[in-house]
Structure formats: C-alpha cells, structure tokens
Amino acid sequence: MWMWALLPVTLAVFGTIGMWAVYAIAVSNNTVNITEEFPFISTCGSYNPQSCLFSQICNICCVLALWIVTIRFQQIRDLGCASNLNTVGLVLGFVSSIGISILGNFQQSVVKVVHLLGALLAFALGLAYFWVQTWLSYYSPPSHDRKWVVAARVIFCSLCTCLLICMLVLYGAGFRSESAICEWALVMCFFALFAIFAAEFRHVDCHKFTVQKKQRINSSDANGVWTIQEIH
C-alpha cells in the first residue's frame, strides 16, 4: 500500500517547515539577533510565542517517529530478518523519539539540564538508530530500492556523524554560530533519513488492527433454556 510511504515524507516535510517557521518567527519578533550570531534551533524555540509552536512540532514529530519506528520493526520481522539487532533498533528508535518530545517541551532557557538530556537522546541515539537501519537494509532481502537506499543511508549517516562531532567541537571552542549551523544541517539530515523510509514503506501491504475476533455470549429464553451464541 503506497500510502504508507506518505508517513515518513510527512514527518520530513512537516518537521522541516515547522523548524524554519519557528526560526522565521524568532527573527521577526527580534527574539534572536542574527547579526550577532546565528541561533541554535533551541534558542529560537525558547521564548514566546514560538516556544508553544516549537513544543507542538516536536510532539507531533515524536508521535510520527514512534509510528515509523514500529512499522519498520515489524517490516524487518515480516521479511524474515528478525534478530536482536532489530530489537535494539526498536529500543533506540523509541528512546530517541521520546527525546524529541523532551527537548521540545523543556526549553533550554527554563530547564537546561533536561533539555540537553532530550537533545542527547534525540541526536546520539537517533544517529545510532539510523546506523542500525543501514545495516539491516544491507542484509535484508534484495529489492529494487536496496542499492540506492543503502548508499543514501550511508551518506546521510556519515554526514550526521561528522556534523554532530563538529557541532560539539565548535561549541566547546566558542564558535557558537558555526556550531549552530552544524546543528541545523544535522536536523535537516535527520529529516532526510526519515524520508528515505518512504522507499521501503511503499512495499508495505497493510497493517490490520483487530480488537476482538469473536465473543461468546450466554443468553436464555423465556423457558429458562440457556444458549451460546457467537458473534463476529
């Protein structure tokens, strides 16, 4: 069912537009001054009114990411590649997705320690999750998309790794603007990595959610005779 491919694309497009919308609002109301230094994403989303939008965007991205991680885990299992590594990927994906919500709801200007914890979970564990997906993609059953999907994941994961290291090193050296630029590029690469799932999700047939298959009901007639009925 090709419509499942819209899920990761929606996350990538929504997240990208949302983050730049927060940046535009922060610049327009002079919350940040780009003539002094280029702001971090978290700095743009630290003050009202854009902080509310930033939190909501992160929450929606968190839900979409959790959904994507779950579908991908089941897809790998259905392909006959169930392994401990797939389970590790599920855990990494869940924790990193929760980190997105944490960093969005605990702004750095209010609770900096919790915000940094959320950023660590989202970036570090998120990067580990995508490296796991790269490995699983390489060893999953062959498909028409495997060659370019694996190559794309390797490129973007390598970029993310370099950008994450550069961001930390530059920030520690006092180059805040350069570090912020690395952060923005890192987040955009993460969205691109999510979008790549569209190539694999278009092969997902369906996911059926069954609450209850059938129920046995005991009933009696006017003569006191009990019967058993089955409803589907």
Side-chain angles (χ1 to χ4, degrees):
M1 187 181 296
W2 63 268
M3 290 188 65
W4 283 110
L6 296 178
L7 181 61
V9 173
T10 299
L11 170 59
V13 174
F14 174 79
T16 300
I17 294 176
M19 292 302 167
W20 285 109
V22 170
Y23 169 81
I25 297 172
V27 172
S28 63
N29 61 19
N30 295 320
T31 303
V32 296
N33 187 352
I34 58 176
T35 60
E36 294 181 356
E37 66 176 19
F38 192 80
F40 288 91
I41 300 176
S42 301
T43 304
C44 294
S46 292
Y47 306 99
N48 292 323
Q50 63 268 17
S51 62
C52 302
L53 178 62
F54 180 65
S55 298
Q56 192 64 15
I57 290 171
C58 289
N59 288 333
I60 294 175
C61 287
C62 171
V63 174
L64 294 177
L66 287 171
W67 197 357
I68 291 170
V69 168
T70 303
I71 294 176
R72 181 58 178 164
F73 169 77
Q74 186 60 47
Q75 185 183 36
I76 293 295
R77 290 187 62 184
D78 291 345
L79 290 172
C81 299
S83 64
N84 292 332
L85 186 61
N86 191 29
T87 304
V88 170
L90 178 69
V91 174
L92 289 173
F94 265 63
V95 177
S96 62
S97 299
I98 297 300
I100 298 173
S101 180
I102 294 174
L103 71 86
N105 289 278
F106 295 89
Q107 286 81 21
Q108 66 173 5
S109 60
V110 182
V111 191
K112 188 174 183 179
V113 175
V114 180
H115 176 82
L116 293 176
L117 174 62
L120 176 64
L121 296 177
F123 292 146
L125 297 189
L127 180 57
Y129 170 75
F130 283 115
W131 275 117
V132 169
Q133 291 306 313
T134 301
W135 183 272
L136 291 173
S137 299
Y138 182 78
Y139 285 100
S140 62
S143 67
H144 296 295
D145 306 313
R146 195 178 87 165
K147 289 183 178 180
W148 76 264
V149 165
V150 173
R153 283 206 172 107
V154 169
I155 292 172
F156 279 106
C157 284
S158 300
L159 280 174
C160 287
T161 302
C162 293
L163 288 168
L164 181 60
I165 295 173
C166 290
M167 181 183 71
L168 297 175
V169 171
L170 289 171
Y171 185 82
F175 297 99
R176 291 178 55 86
S177 293
E178 291 78 4
S179 179
I181 292 173
C182 289
E183 183 194 42
W184 279 93
L186 174 64
V187 172
M188 295 303 110
C189 286
F190 267 115
F191 286 139
L193 282 167
F194 273 111
I196 292 174
F197 281 122
E200 288 138 336
F201 281 17
R202 67 190 181 91
H203 300 297
V204 176
D205 293 329
C206 66
H207 279 261
K208 182 172 67 174
F209 179 67
T210 303
V211 177
Q212 189 171 343
K213 291 185 177 180
K214 60 184 179 179
Q215 181 180 4
R216 298 173 67 87
I217 300 178
N218 295 330
S219 61
S220 63
D221 56 19
N223 297 323
V225 179
W226 289 84
T227 59
I228 299 178
Q229 300 175 346
E230 289 188 357
I231 59 175
H232 298 270

